[in-house]
Amino acid sequence: MATLLGGIEAGGTKFVCAIGHSPNSILLEERFPTDDPESTLRRSLDFFLRAQKKFGPLSSLGIGSFGPIDLDVSSLTYGSVTSTPKLRWAGTQVVQAFTELGVPIAFDTDTNAAALGELYYGKGRGLDTLLYITVGTGVGGGIVVNRKPIHGLGHPEIGHIPIIPRKDDSFQGLCPFHGTCLEGMAAGPAIQARWGVPATDLPPDHQAWDLEAEYIAQGLWSFILTISPQKVILGGGVMHQPQLFPLIRSHLRRLLSGYVDRAEILEDNEDYISFPELGNFAGITGALVMAEQILREPSVGQKES
Ligand code: ADP
Ligand code: ZN
């Protein structure tokens, strides 16, 4: 019987459910706004129950969820969203809501899923190591090394690294934990709070964008020296401002000062730091890749039952 992969991109704003015989050919998809946990997870489960009636039994499920999430398979709260301020989602058991499907379930962050999607089917095709950052309501990131998302104690939270505020920027930052971390200084809401208008209303030549690019480049300065990614993908609402890309590359070159002796960094390489190729499909494609990976390697990202 043909493999039938299921995927969920469980975002803080919207949910995407899909099935497909392979991650890049989706047979059926449904997108809906994230509401309270009970109704949102029920709607997702119903999607797969309906899909199974039409397309046959599901083989596995991959879930890329907004976070923070518990990825520790030895933990009682494995598979749940943990300390999020979002709606009533804190403590919600996400994986558990799908166990009645009776298939292996892979669970990871939405950004790790998006990074996987881009690595397998987007700009990262053929690569091993990729960094995916989203700059939207928050700043989040996924890191894939050796074609697998990285975990350890928990999952990367690269939006919360410290940055150095520019001398002409007195903004205190919006992060409730760290004030002026990358997310606190550069996410969409921080742009709006600093300049008094939504980021979408700022003209492309506004000075906001050079500052924004500098902060994102400061983040990349740390990430590139730590992870050494073969490519960097920058997505999310704020990155729909195309003027940011050359500004980011230029600030990054200045900050690294020639220390990384690679053409990808030293030249204005449009290929090295760029917008996701899969756009709105990066996360759901990655969730389907996770479903495929757990079929091949059942011990990855799955709780022993
Ligand atoms: P989310 O992070 O909630 O999934 P988005 O990635 O769309 O959603 O991020 C929303 C944030 O991005 C908002 O702060 C919004 O002002 C900003 N944003 C959305 N579109 C644009 C745009 N075209 N240019 C600049 N900022 C944008
Ligand atoms: Zn922070």
Side-chain angles (χ1 to χ4, degrees):
M1 204 184 319
T3 301
L4 189 64
L5 307 170
I8 304 176
E9 181 189 342
T13 310
K14 69 169 191 316
F15 261 56
V16 185
C17 298
I19 55 158
H21 292 307
S22 98
N24 63 341
S25 72
I26 288 173
L27 290 170
L28 192 67
E29 188 201 79
E30 194 175 311
R31 292 175 179 247
F32 44 89
T34 308
D35 203 332
D36 65 89
E38 294 74 28
S39 65
T40 311
L41 294 173
R42 182 73 234 177
R43 190 166 175 183
S44 309
L45 179 64
D46 285 346
F47 168 86
F48 293 105
L49 295 173
R50 261 196 335 274
Q52 292 200 108
K53 283 200 186 117
K54 189 159 176 213
F55 293 95
L58 207 60
S59 311
S60 57
L61 179 65
I63 306 174
S65 173
F66 75 93
I69 59 177
D70 188 346
L71 289 175
D72 176 2
V73 290
S74 66
S75 152
L76 284 176
T77 53
Y78 168 78
S80 64
V81 174
T82 58
S83 58
T84 176
K86 165 99 187 133
L87 299 170
R88 282 173 277 133
W89 283 81
T92 298
Q93 293 275 0
V94 177
V95 169
Q96 219 172 61
F98 299 95
T99 47
E100 77 170 76
L101 291 170
V103 296
I105 300 175
F107 187 55
D108 215 315
T109 60
D110 49 357
T111 45
N112 264 343
L116 265 184
E118 280 293 321
L119 182 103
Y120 276 80
Y121 294 102
K123 291 227 169 104
R125 276 187 295 268
L127 303 182
D128 301 313
T129 305
L130 181 105
L131 169 64
Y132 179 100
I133 301 177
T134 173
V135 187
T137 306
V139 177
I143 303 167
V144 179
V145 174
N146 290 334
R147 303 176 77 78
K148 293 212 183 98
I150 66 164
H151 309 139
L153 200 52
H155 51 79
E157 283 282 5
I158 65 176
H160 294 272
I161 62 147
I163 59 130
I164 306 162
R166 205 160 78 180
K167 287 199 176 60
D168 61 351
D169 181 25
S170 58
F171 185 60
Q172 295 297 298
L174 285 188
C175 178
F177 296 92
H178 323 107
T180 60
C181 66
L182 180 58
E183 175 170 301
M185 293 298 261
I191 302 175
Q192 175 161 358
R194 181 186 290 109
W195 302 103
V197 287
T200 39
D201 291 358
L202 293 167
D205 58 355
H206 193 282
Q207 54 177 318
W209 301 118
D210 186 65
L211 186 67
E212 179 71 8
E214 170 156 353
Y215 291 154
I216 294 170
Q218 281 194 26
L220 293 182
W221 175 10
S222 293
F223 307 141
I224 288 171
L225 293 179
T226 313
I227 306 156
S228 204
Q230 290 163 305
K231 249 179 211 189
V232 177
I233 311 287
L234 299 176
V238 172
M239 297 313 302
H240 282 100
Q241 299 285 330
Q243 73 280 13
L244 279 173
F245 285 90
L247 292 171
I248 290 168
R249 292 186 202 108
S250 151
H251 278 296
L252 181 65
R253 266 198 307 281
R254 179 179 56 77
L255 292 169
L256 285 173
S257 305
Y259 188 75
V260 181
D261 187 14
R262 297 283 307 202
E264 287 84 347
I265 309 278
L266 297 175
E267 292 161 17
D268 189 17
N269 190 323
E270 293 188 13
D271 210 31
Y272 185 63
I273 299 173
S274 62
F275 197 73
E277 181 175 322
L278 300 178
N280 285 340
F281 284 88
I284 190 62
T285 304
L288 292 163
V289 171
M290 287 162 54
E292 199 172 48
Q293 286 191 337
I294 205 166
L295 278 181
R296 279 202 308 266
E297 283 182 72
S299 61
V300 177
Q302 187 190 12
K303 194 175 175 101
E304 305 278 330
S305 53

